[in-house]
Amino acid sequence: LKDLVPLDYLKGNEKAAQLLKNRIARVSVRGLRHISKDTVLSRITIKKGQTVSPQQVSVDLRTLFQTGFFKDVAAFARQIKGGTEIIYFIKEHPTIREIRYEGNDELDDDDLKEKVDIKPYTVLNKSDLKRNAVKIKDAYIDEGHYLATVDFRLEEVGGGAMVDIIY
């Protein structure tokens, strides 16, 4: 993999510029654990047979990152037979193992579970965590507990591949 050219800093990167002028012979994705390659490829605009602009690479990286499924996304290119290969290296967010509730004196766990739409064994999405914290707070407000605060924390499990969410 030493022949890979990073595509994140394209300004002044002559080798990357030259690779992008070639036709794309292959688009690869590496680092996936739970999300399918087809899901990733459906989100990007770069396809086999095209020539690519630096702006297109930037837009695709931003689009992938904004899905909320990934901790990190990077793109590299290399010369292969027939053109250029674009390789996306992806680091997924961990999978949710379980969701727990602590300090919920006024509402029981079952009441909170009805409000929360995050499910175990799905990929962690930070915006979902925040949105569900608001839903829990709204449940407290509906019960007349206007000063309630709701936070969350994550506990890594299994070397960081999974997390427990604690509201």
Side-chain angles (χ1 to χ4, degrees):
L1 298 180
K2 62 184 177 191
D3 59 339
L4 294 179
V5 176
L7 298 178
D8 50 353
Y9 300 106
L10 295 172
K11 199 171 218 174
N13 186 338
E14 296 298 323
K15 186 150 180 147
Q18 185 58 46
L19 284 168
L20 292 179
K21 287 180 184 175
N22 296 334
R23 291 234 175 262
I24 303 303
R26 181 170 47 226
V27 179
S28 302
V29 182
R30 301 208 179 143
L32 295 174
R33 292 188 326 240
H34 303 289
I35 296 174
S36 74
K37 177 182 174 183
D38 290 339
T39 298
V40 173
L41 294 176
S42 73
R43 304 284 176 128
I44 60 174
T45 60
I46 296 173
K47 306 291 183 214
K48 181 179 175 180
Q50 297 177 324
T51 56
V52 178
S53 71
Q55 294 80 13
Q56 197 174 355
V57 173
S58 295
V59 167
D60 283 354
L61 287 171
R62 193 174 319 113
T63 298
L64 288 173
F65 194 74
Q66 288 175 344
T67 65
F69 295 131
F70 309 116
K71 275 186 182 180
D72 193 23
V73 179
F76 292 81
R78 69 177 171 183
Q79 185 66 43
I80 62 171
K81 185 177 180 180
T84 296
E85 178 181 22
I86 304 289
I87 306 168
Y88 291 93
F89 285 89
I90 293 180
K91 185 169 186 177
E92 292 181 18
H93 281 295
T95 302
I96 299 165
R97 185 180 74 161
E98 73 176 356
I99 302 155
R100 298 193 311 262
Y101 307 93
E102 293 179 355
N104 50 316
D105 299 330
E106 304 302 327
L107 296 173
D108 65 23
D109 286 4
D110 290 335
D111 293 331
L112 298 177
K113 285 178 185 175
E114 286 180 22
K115 304 294 181 191
V116 172
D117 59 13
I118 297 173
K119 303 292 181 216
Y121 305 104
T122 59
V123 176
L124 179 70
N125 184 312
K126 297 261 177 142
S127 60
D128 288 347
L129 292 174
K130 294 172 187 173
R131 183 176 47 76
N132 278 276
V134 170
K135 289 171 79 170
I136 293 170
K137 183 173 173 68
D138 289 345
Y140 273 93
I141 290 171
D142 290 347
E143 295 294 321
H145 304 286
Y146 302 102
L147 299 178
T149 59
V150 178
D151 290 315
F152 62 86
R153 72 178 189 277
L154 303 175
E155 290 182 358
E156 287 189 1
V157 181
M162 299 188 89
V163 293
D164 290 346
I165 302 169
I166 299 95
Y167 282 103

